Amino acid sequence: MTYWFARTLRAGIAGLLVLTAASAAEGDLSGRLGDAKGYYVPEPPPPTVGVAVPAGVSGLWYDPLLDGEGYNFIVTETSEGPVLVVFFYGFSAAGERLWLVSENIPLDMDFGQPVSAIVYEAHGGTFDAPAPSAGALSAWGSMTLLMEGCLDGTIVLDGGDGQKISVVTKLAGIESLDCDSPSKGVAAGQAGLWFDQSLDGEGYNIISSAAGTVVFFYGYNAAGERLWLISDVSTGDSGGVFTVPVWEAVGGTFATPVPSSESLRAWGSISVDLGCSDGSITLDGADGVKLSSVAKLAGIAGTGC
């Protein structure tokens, strides 16, 4: 995932490869820095303790030592206030594709303050007929999240496939949305979670960054296995209308993901035509053709069209 995305980011990507020598209750992370071969590892910045975590943490996150998997952070508004939803894309212990989604995490936490949440996995369904989420989602385990600042943090996943400690850095945020200012505009307003109500049990995550727009699909393949796809980057002012190649992940396990330069293979294409609140997405590839009449399920707090 990250090798492919970094091709588009080009200049400036090295500045994001900052590892954190923080420790979590589940284990000491300092030894991880010695394994950072090929990366420049500066002294970790001091944590931003006592400052509320803002919507600017939304975007694409990963651990440079665990290339081939990653996380999407979505901060969205609800009737009870802003919440954070975290998606994980990677592999199971058995080498199957795995996508996980956290419960809503109230955004009343500060940098330097760990929070825990239940994480769910999905079972059942096919590419043509996803199993409704009410029956398909079951508890996988837990996630402990510790944000040190807007660009770095630690995630501990502990569940059915084992325990994983990810020392994460932000690979791509939402266009013009940082920790200090809200974002307005078509691209930022289209970022977030989208789904087709008639195809509950699957959906799309859209990350609209300064480098371009990336679309993630999470659902099932034709054989009933879990499937996650990642699109190529749509660059330029597309206005929410574009067609780009889409890739599927193969190989790797929960403990050892295969680097994205080796694990991503062509699956087909994705055609996107979005407004601010609804639109259409068409997938055309190895598992068939799917036309989704989508609506925005959750936008990014602080953004708008």
Side-chain angles (χ1 to χ4, degrees), residues 6 22-23 30 59 76 90 121 123 149 162 175 188 195 209 211 214 217 223 244 266 298:
S23 294
S30 59
T76 190
E121 63 178 336
H123 296 281
E175 183 179 9
F195 87 126
S209 74
V214 183
F217 168 77
V244 293

Side-chain angles (χ1 to χ4, degrees), residues 9-26:
L9 294 181
R10 295 188 182 94
I13 187 63
L16 292 178
L17 301 182
V18 179
L19 307 182
T20 306
S23 294
E26 287 77 5

Side-chain angles (χ1 to χ4, degrees), residues 174 183-192 194 208 275-276 296 299-300 303-305:
I174 305 303
S183 176
K184 301 293 181 183
V186 172
Q190 290 168 344
W194 295 73
S208 299
C276 287
K296 188 192 292 182
I300 307 297
T303 68
C305 291

Side-chain angles (χ1 to χ4, degrees), residues 93-147:
E96 302 168 334
R97 282 179 292 257
L98 176 66
W99 54 269
L100 303 172
V101 58
S102 76
E103 64 180 326
N104 289 349
I105 304 170
L107 203 69
D108 57 0
M109 57 182 174
D110 294 340
F111 288 125
Q113 173 190 349
V115 295
S116 295
I118 299 171
V119 178
Y120 297 90
E121 63 178 336
H123 296 281
T126 64
F127 187 74
D128 291 328
S133 54
L137 292 178
S138 61
W140 175 89
S142 66
M143 179 189 72
T144 299
L145 173 65
L146 176 66
M147 299 302 301

